[in-house]
Amino acid sequence: MSFPVLERHDLGNGIIAYNIGKRRMTAWAYRIGKTLIDSGAPNMSKELLPFILQDGDIEHIYLTHHHEDHSGGATTIRNETGAEITVSSYSQALIRKGYVQYPYQHVVWGRFQAFQENHCLELPAFESVSYKTNDGDFQVFHAPGHSHDMTVVYDAERKALFSADMYLSSRQRLMRRDENFFVSLETLKRIIKLNVEILLCGHRPVFSDGNEKLEKKLVFMETIQDKLEGNANERIETKLLDDLLGKEDSAFRLLSLGNVSRANLVKSLLGDVKARPDVVRTVGEKLAHYDFS
């Protein structure tokens, strides 16, 4: 399988970014020295591995969350380099057991194969812990919303935030069916307090003015909350949604079998979030429904 996109970006200050995929469906991995943050998707690993090894060996891999486009290449890299994989305590169970994927995820990213990590960071809810390697003293923050287990990694020295899928866009118009709008909003409000210059998103990185982009996203989310939350007991007009969120991407909605859509964002904002049954079975009702009490 060929991948039209295969890019290497030297961002300076010791940060290298790798973008690999096809068309709009690309995923980014990042390295500082011998530390890799996220690992691309399973069907990208054979292409990504020689690409990253041009910049030297890898000793450490940190995975921000369990989704296959972030975690799926880790074992291929570990098998080749001997790198040690670290995950958070929120991701551990799903990484070890595996999870159900939609057909489009198999096609776009490949099939996730469960594995056991080398190290697990015990991470309190909504808090941060230190993740030290020879390449830096990073802070890992629990940043749920996109998933219950998502984390972001902050490098204060470089003012760089490895933001996984927390950012995606300053005008995010789509959500997965199991995403939580309000938890995402609270996560954004906490993380925006960091001093971020380089915003290294898993799909749409911003190489400067990171805090400005996060502020724009916060304003956007608060605006749609204000406009849509008051319609909770009424039928929301299509024109209002078009004005706020843009036209529905029906092709992508159909491709994902409704898992990613504008409608899911609206449902989440109105309190209708559907946890994945496989996640409930693996981590329990509370975590799957974003209850961290």
Side-chain angles (χ1 to χ4, degrees):
M1 186 175 186
S2 63
F3 292 90
V5 176
L6 188 61
E7 300 174 344
R8 176 191 181 277
H9 301 264
D10 190 338
L11 307 183
N13 208 10
I15 303 175
I16 298 174
Y18 305 104
N19 182 23
I20 182 170
K22 61 178 182 177
R23 298 181 182 176
R24 295 185 298 170
M25 307 302 292
T26 64
W28 292 70
Y30 302 95
R31 77 180 289 163
I32 295 178
K34 296 182 179 182
T35 299
L36 188 70
I37 298 176
D38 282 337
S39 64
N43 63 4
M44 299 178 184
S45 58
K46 290 182 180 179
E47 285 78 10
L48 179 61
L49 181 60
F51 203 49
I52 64 175
L53 291 182
Q54 293 180 42
D55 293 308
D57 210 356
I58 295 292
E59 293 181 350
H60 305 279
I61 304 169
Y62 180 75
L63 303 177
T64 57
H65 59 303
H66 73 278
H67 290 164
E68 67 279 353
D69 51 325
H70 295 260
S71 66
T75 52
T76 298
I77 298 169
R78 178 171 64 181
N79 291 344
E80 179 68 23
T81 67
E84 296 193 339
I85 300 171
T86 300
V87 302
S88 81
S89 50
Y90 291 107
S91 297
Q92 185 182 54
L94 287 166
I95 290 290
R96 288 184 174 187
K97 185 175 181 179
Y99 48 88
V100 176
Q101 295 172 273
Y102 283 84
Y104 82 93
Q105 293 170 319
H106 290 161
V107 172
V108 175
W109 304 123
R111 187 178 296 275
F112 176 84
Q113 298 292 332
F115 61 90
Q116 182 152 335
E117 79 290 345
N118 298 92
H119 306 286
C120 180
L121 293 180
E122 291 296 332
L123 186 58
F126 301 107
E127 299 293 338
S128 68
V129 294
S130 177
Y131 171 58
K132 292 183 180 181
T133 74
N134 293 331
D135 304 301
D137 186 356
F138 309 104
Q139 285 294 118
V140 173
F141 288 80
H142 184 217
H146 176 72
S147 64
H148 80 279
D149 68 315
M150 197 172 71
T151 60
V152 298
V153 180
Y154 181 58
D155 184 342
E157 179 183 348
R158 296 173 175 84
K159 300 179 183 178
L161 180 69
F162 302 88
S163 64
D165 289 339
M166 186 200 75
Y167 170 66
L168 294 178
S169 170
S170 57
R171 293 178 61 85
Q172 184 179 343
R173 299 176 174 90
L174 308 172
M175 276 190 167
R176 291 164 55 122
R177 191 68 181 94
D178 59 339
E179 287 189 68
N180 190 305
F181 180 93
F182 293 104
V183 175
S184 296
L185 183 58
E186 288 306 309
T187 285
L188 182 57
K189 288 178 179 178
R190 289 185 299 109
I191 298 301
I192 208 169
K193 296 175 183 177
L194 301 173
N195 184 5
V196 178
E197 177 64 20
I198 305 173
L199 180 60
L200 299 176
C201 173
H203 299 281
R204 190 176 296 179
V206 177
F207 300 142
S208 62
D209 302 320
N211 272 119
E212 179 182 331
K213 296 295 185 183
L214 293 175
E215 290 281 0
K216 286 183 178 180
K217 177 160 188 173
L218 179 60
V219 170
F220 179 71
M221 291 186 72
E222 290 180 331
T223 298
I224 61 176
Q225 178 187 6
D226 180 62
K227 297 290 187 181
L228 297 181
E229 199 174 18
N231 290 275
N233 297 317
E234 303 174 11
R235 183 178 181 277
I236 300 174
E237 294 183 3
T238 301
K239 184 179 184 304
L240 174 60
L241 292 179
D242 289 346
D243 290 344
L244 290 173
L245 302 174
K247 295 286 187 180
E248 174 76 278
D249 189 341
S250 57
F252 195 75
R253 174 173 53 80
L254 292 172
L255 173 67
S256 70
L257 301 178
N259 186 47
V260 182
S261 70
R262 185 179 73 174
N264 288 342
L265 187 153
V266 176
K267 289 177 180 178
S268 182
L269 194 149
L270 300 180
D272 181 10
V273 177
K274 298 293 186 185
R276 290 172 13 220
D278 60 304
V279 175
V280 173
R281 290 193 297 269
T282 301
V283 306
E285 290 277 355
K286 289 183 65 175
L287 288 183
H289 288 95
Y290 298 91
D291 180 356
F292 303 102
S293 60

